[in-house]
Amino acid sequence: MRLQYPPDIKIILVPCTGKVDVLHILHAFEKGADGVYAVGCMEGDCHYNSGNLRARKRVEQAQKILDTIGIGGERAQMYNLSSSEGPRFAQFAVEMEERIRKLGPNPIKLAKKKAA
Amino acid sequence: MIVADRKPIEEIIEEVKNHEKILILGCNECVTVCEAGGKKEVGVLASALRMYFLNQGREVKVDEKTLERQCDHEYLEEIRDVMDQYDAVVSLACGVGVQFMAEKYHECPIYPGVDTCFLGATEKRGLWTERCQACGQCILARTGGICPVSRCAKRILNGPCGGSAKGKCEINKEIDCAWELLKALDKLDDYEKIDSIKDWSTDRAGGPRKVVREDVQE
Ligand code: SF4
C-alpha cells in the first residue's frame, strides 16, 4: 500500500493494547513525548477479550491525570481499527499529528530544556 | 484486608506543593491488593507530581519506594538511612502505616496519599466491599457467617428493622440487607436463640484498643 503518515511518530509494538499501562503513558510524557496514542483492535474483537477496553480505560485515566497537572489530557488518545485497515492507521496518525500541532509541544519538554 | 481508595491528585498536590524533596512511599500489602497504594500507584503519583512541578518551573525531587509493610518497625527501619534526603513523605499505606511512619520519623512531615475506608473483601477486581468493623468480639458463629455489625446499616443484632425491600437495605438500595441474606442462607432458626446483650466495650466505645500477648512478647 505504501501509505504515507507523519514521520515524527514513533511506533512501539505491544502484543495487545491491554499491555499499555497508565504508567507507560505517563512516563512517555515525562520523557518529553508531545502526544501518546494507543491503536487497538475494534472493540469486541480483542483476541484476549478485553485488552482494548482496558487500554481505553487506562488512556482515560492518563487523560484525567494530565488534565489535573496542566499538561492537557487531549495529548493522550485511544483509537481502534481492524488489522486490515492500513488507510485508517495512516488517517489516525495524521489526525493525531494535527491535534498535537495545535496544542504545541509538551510543556514538560520545554521546562526540562529551561532547567538544563 | 484493609481497603483504601486513592486520594485525588489535586488534594495531594495542595498538601505537598511547598516541599522540595518528596518521597512517595507505598506498601506491599492490603493497599497493593486494592490498587490504591502499591508500587504501581506510587509510580503513577510520583510521575504526575514530577511533571506537575516541572510544569510549574520548579525543580522538586520526587522519589519512589515501596516497603513490604508500613505497620512494622523492621520494614520502616529500611528507610532510616535515606530519610534525611527528604523534607516530606507521602505515604500510600493505610492510616495505620501513615501514623506508624509519623511516630517513627516525627521530624519529617508525613502526608496520607490514600483514604482508608474499611475492612473488606475483593468481590472482583475493582469492587471491594465491607465485611468487618473489628468490634473485638466476633459473633459470626451465631449469625450464619454474616456480620450484622458491619453489614447492617443500623448494626442491629436481633432481626431486620422492617425497612428492607426486595432484599435491599432501606438505607441504600444497592446494598443487600444483612438480615435478608441470612434468610437466603436458611439460617433463620438461629435467630430464635436468644443471646445476651453484646459487650460493646471491646468496640470503639471503650476507646483505642490494644491486643497484648505476653506469651509471644520478648
Ligand atoms: S434494611 Fe436490613 S440492613 Fe438495612 S438497616 Fe434494616 S435490617 Fe439493617
Side-chain angles (χ1 to χ4, degrees), chain A residues 90-102:
Chain A
Q91 177 205 325
F92 292 155
V94 171
E95 222 178 282
M96 193 66 194
E97 211 222 8
E98 276 169 10
R99 185 194 308 270
I100 299 301
R101 289 229 178 269
K102 251 185 240 151

PDB file of all heavy atoms in Angstrom, chain A residues 90-102:
ATOM      1  N   ALA A  90      -3.080   5.235   8.928  1.00  0.00           N
ATOM      2  CA  ALA A  90      -2.436   6.466   8.457  1.00  0.00           C
ATOM      3  C   ALA A  90      -3.283   7.685   8.793  1.00  0.00           C
ATOM      4  O   ALA A  90      -2.780   8.724   9.219  1.00  0.00           O
ATOM      5  CB  ALA A  90      -2.204   6.374   6.954  1.00  0.00           C
ATOM      6  N   GLN A  91      -4.594   7.516   8.678  1.00  0.00           N
ATOM      7  CA  GLN A  91      -5.507   8.631   8.976  1.00  0.00           C
ATOM      8  C   GLN A  91      -5.418   9.035  10.462  1.00  0.00           C
ATOM      9  O   GLN A  91      -5.389  10.208  10.800  1.00  0.00           O
ATOM     10  CB  GLN A  91      -6.932   8.194   8.620  1.00  0.00           C
ATOM     11  CG  GLN A  91      -8.014   9.208   8.933  1.00  0.00           C
ATOM     12  CD  GLN A  91      -9.368   8.518   9.137  1.00  0.00           C
ATOM     13  OE1 GLN A  91      -9.668   7.520   8.475  1.00  0.00           O
ATOM     14  NE2 GLN A  91     -10.158   9.022  10.059  1.00  0.00           N
ATOM     15  N   PHE A  92      -5.359   8.029  11.356  1.00  0.00           N
ATOM     16  CA  PHE A  92      -5.233   8.327  12.794  1.00  0.00           C
ATOM     17  C   PHE A  92      -3.935   9.083  13.068  1.00  0.00           C
ATOM     18  O   PHE A  92      -3.893   9.998  13.882  1.00  0.00           O
ATOM     19  CB  PHE A  92      -5.255   7.037  13.616  1.00  0.00           C
ATOM     20  CG  PHE A  92      -6.571   6.319  13.608  1.00  0.00           C
ATOM     21  CD1 PHE A  92      -6.630   4.949  13.832  1.00  0.00           C
ATOM     22  CD2 PHE A  92      -7.760   7.009  13.380  1.00  0.00           C
ATOM     23  CE1 PHE A  92      -7.847   4.283  13.830  1.00  0.00           C
ATOM     24  CE2 PHE A  92      -8.989   6.351  13.379  1.00  0.00           C
ATOM     25  CZ  PHE A  92      -9.020   4.974  13.602  1.00  0.00           C
ATOM     26  N   ALA A  93      -2.885   8.662  12.370  1.00  0.00           N
ATOM     27  CA  ALA A  93      -1.582   9.305  12.574  1.00  0.00           C
ATOM     28  C   ALA A  93      -1.653  10.781  12.172  1.00  0.00           C
ATOM     29  O   ALA A  93      -1.161  11.660  12.889  1.00  0.00           O
ATOM     30  CB  ALA A  93      -0.508   8.585  11.773  1.00  0.00           C
ATOM     31  N   VAL A  94      -2.306  11.041  11.039  1.00  0.00           N
ATOM     32  CA  VAL A  94      -2.439  12.430  10.566  1.00  0.00           C
ATOM     33  C   VAL A  94      -3.276  13.233  11.559  1.00  0.00           C
ATOM     34  O   VAL A  94      -2.927  14.344  11.957  1.00  0.00           O
ATOM     35  CB  VAL A  94      -3.100  12.442   9.155  1.00  0.00           C
ATOM     36  CG1 VAL A  94      -3.456  13.872   8.743  1.00  0.00           C
ATOM     37  CG2 VAL A  94      -2.183  11.788   8.134  1.00  0.00           C
ATOM     38  N   GLU A  95      -4.382  12.612  11.996  1.00  0.00           N
ATOM     39  CA  GLU A  95      -5.286  13.271  12.945  1.00  0.00           C
ATOM     40  C   GLU A  95      -4.552  13.642  14.230  1.00  0.00           C
ATOM     41  O   GLU A  95      -4.665  14.752  14.741  1.00  0.00           O
ATOM     42  CB  GLU A  95      -6.390  12.263  13.271  1.00  0.00           C
ATOM     43  CG  GLU A  95      -7.774  12.854  13.336  1.00  0.00           C
ATOM     44  CD  GLU A  95      -8.772  11.749  13.603  1.00  0.00           C
ATOM     45  OE1 GLU A  95      -9.100  11.023  12.631  1.00  0.00           O
ATOM     46  OE2 GLU A  95      -9.202  11.586  14.753  1.00  0.00           O
ATOM     47  N   MET A  96      -3.794  12.675  14.725  1.00  0.00           N
ATOM     48  CA  MET A  96      -3.075  12.876  15.987  1.00  0.00           C
ATOM     49  C   MET A  96      -2.026  13.969  15.815  1.00  0.00           C
ATOM     50  O   MET A  96      -1.867  14.830  16.676  1.00  0.00           O
ATOM     51  CB  MET A  96      -2.433  11.543  16.398  1.00  0.00           C
ATOM     52  CG  MET A  96      -1.939  11.507  17.803  1.00  0.00           C
ATOM     53  SD  MET A  96      -3.282  11.609  19.028  1.00  0.00           S
ATOM     54  CE  MET A  96      -2.317  11.953  20.493  1.00  0.00           C
ATOM     55  N   GLU A  97      -1.347  13.941  14.688  1.00  0.00           N
ATOM     56  CA  GLU A  97      -0.311  14.950  14.457  1.00  0.00           C
ATOM     57  C   GLU A  97      -0.918  16.345  14.421  1.00  0.00           C
ATOM     58  O   GLU A  97      -0.395  17.283  15.015  1.00  0.00           O
ATOM     59  CB  GLU A  97       0.448  14.654  13.162  1.00  0.00           C
ATOM     60  CG  GLU A  97       1.886  15.124  13.279  1.00  0.00           C
ATOM     61  CD  GLU A  97       2.387  15.815  12.046  1.00  0.00           C
ATOM     62  OE1 GLU A  97       1.592  16.078  11.126  1.00  0.00           O
ATOM     63  OE2 GLU A  97       3.589  16.095  12.015  1.00  0.00           O
ATOM     64  N   GLU A  98      -2.065  16.460  13.750  1.00  0.00           N
ATOM     65  CA  GLU A  98      -2.734  17.768  13.667  1.00  0.00           C
ATOM     66  C   GLU A  98      -3.146  18.245  15.059  1.00  0.00           C
ATOM     67  O   GLU A  98      -2.954  19.400  15.418  1.00  0.00           O
ATOM     68  CB  GLU A  98      -3.987  17.667  12.779  1.00  0.00           C
ATOM     69  CG  GLU A  98      -3.644  17.813  11.303  1.00  0.00           C
ATOM     70  CD  GLU A  98      -4.809  17.461  10.395  1.00  0.00           C
ATOM     71  OE1 GLU A  98      -5.945  17.276  10.903  1.00  0.00           O
ATOM     72  OE2 GLU A  98      -4.576  17.342   9.177  1.00  0.00           O
ATOM     73  N   ARG A  99      -3.666  17.312  15.834  1.00  0.00           N
ATOM     74  CA  ARG A  99      -4.115  17.657  17.186  1.00  0.00           C
ATOM     75  C   ARG A  99      -2.937  18.209  18.003  1.00  0.00           C
ATOM     76  O   ARG A  99      -3.038  19.245  18.656  1.00  0.00           O
ATOM     77  CB  ARG A  99      -4.663  16.397  17.865  1.00  0.00           C
ATOM     78  CG  ARG A  99      -5.271  16.653  19.239  1.00  0.00           C
ATOM     79  CD  ARG A  99      -5.472  15.337  19.982  1.00  0.00           C
ATOM     80  NE  ARG A  99      -6.216  14.347  19.206  1.00  0.00           N
ATOM     81  CZ  ARG A  99      -7.536  14.215  19.223  1.00  0.00           C
ATOM     82  NH1 ARG A  99      -8.249  15.003  19.976  1.00  0.00           N
ATOM     83  NH2 ARG A  99      -8.119  13.302  18.492  1.00  0.00           N
ATOM     84  N   ILE A 100      -1.825  17.505  17.914  1.00  0.00           N
ATOM     85  CA  ILE A 100      -0.658  17.898  18.712  1.00  0.00           C
ATOM     86  C   ILE A 100      -0.063  19.218  18.201  1.00  0.00           C
ATOM     87  O   ILE A 100       0.352  20.057  18.994  1.00  0.00           O
ATOM     88  CB  ILE A 100       0.411  16.779  18.702  1.00  0.00           C
ATOM     89  CG1 ILE A 100      -0.170  15.493  19.310  1.00  0.00           C
ATOM     90  CG2 ILE A 100       1.667  17.191  19.443  1.00  0.00           C
ATOM     91  CD1 ILE A 100      -0.654  15.611  20.729  1.00  0.00           C
ATOM     92  N   ARG A 101      -0.038  19.378  16.894  1.00  0.00           N
ATOM     93  CA  ARG A 101       0.497  20.635  16.350  1.00  0.00           C
ATOM     94  C   ARG A 101      -0.303  21.824  16.881  1.00  0.00           C
ATOM     95  O   ARG A 101       0.245  22.861  17.197  1.00  0.00           O
ATOM     96  CB  ARG A 101       0.469  20.635  14.817  1.00  0.00           C
ATOM     97  CG  ARG A 101       1.489  19.690  14.229  1.00  0.00           C
ATOM     98  CD  ARG A 101       2.342  20.322  13.142  1.00  0.00           C
ATOM     99  NE  ARG A 101       3.322  19.351  12.676  1.00  0.00           N
ATOM    100  CZ  ARG A 101       4.539  19.227  13.188  1.00  0.00           C
ATOM    101  NH1 ARG A 101       4.952  20.032  14.142  1.00  0.00           N
ATOM    102  NH2 ARG A 101       5.357  18.290  12.740  1.00  0.00           N
ATOM    103  N   LYS A 102      -1.634  21.616  16.982  1.00  0.00           N
ATOM    104  CA  LYS A 102      -2.486  22.688  17.504  1.00  0.00           C
ATOM    105  C   LYS A 102      -2.166  22.963  18.976  1.00  0.00           C
ATOM    106  O   LYS A 102      -2.146  24.097  19.423  1.00  0.00           O
ATOM    107  CB  LYS A 102      -3.954  22.274  17.364  1.00  0.00           C
ATOM    108  CG  LYS A 102      -4.674  23.085  16.276  1.00  0.00           C
ATOM    109  CD  LYS A 102      -6.151  22.751  16.249  1.00  0.00           C
ATOM    110  CE  LYS A 102      -6.515  22.206  14.873  1.00  0.00           C
ATOM    111  NZ  LYS A 102      -7.633  21.269  14.910  1.00  0.00           N
TER     112      LYS A 102
END
